Amino acid sequence: MSAHCQLTGAEPGFGKTISHSHRRTSRRFDPNIQRKRYWLASEGRHIRLTLSVKGIRTVDVIGIEAAVARIRARGGKV
């Protein structure tokens, strides 16, 4: 599963881990990605979305129909 939110577009950030001796090594900061299943009443089927936790909270506020419309407007497949 790629670390990419379908709704918000959140993706990994990159940076450095700094040890006690101050050596720097590359690392990756992944968003909190979850797979969530929603009932899409307009199409009469369930859909499974890959969302960040911020994206899940956004769906709770705006509703699944509006969220799917935003995903499709961004060019995503649902």
Side-chain angles (χ1 to χ4, degrees):
M1 170 170 57
S2 69
H4 182 83
C5 177
Q6 290 179 291
L7 181 60
T8 64
E11 54 191 17
F14 295 89
K16 301 285 185 184
T17 297
I18 303 179
S19 70
H20 180 69
S21 65
H22 222 64
R23 291 180 64 139
R24 291 174 170 90
T25 54
S26 294
R27 64 158 292 181
R28 179 174 148 142
F29 296 91
D30 285 331
N32 189 359
I33 298 293
Q34 309 291 324
R35 283 180 56 87
K36 188 118 168 81
R37 188 172 174 242
Y38 290 100
W39 173 252
L40 192 58
S42 64
E43 297 181 16
R45 67 185 181 106
H46 284 96
I47 58 169
R48 190 174 303 274
L49 298 176
T50 304
L51 300 171
S52 62
V53 173
K54 182 179 178 181
I56 292 171
R57 288 196 304 261
T58 302
V59 170
D60 292 342
V61 171
I62 67 173
I64 187 62
E65 300 291 340
V68 167
R70 282 190 192 180
I71 293 170
R72 288 182 173 150
R74 292 181 75 226
K77 184 180 175 187
V78 177

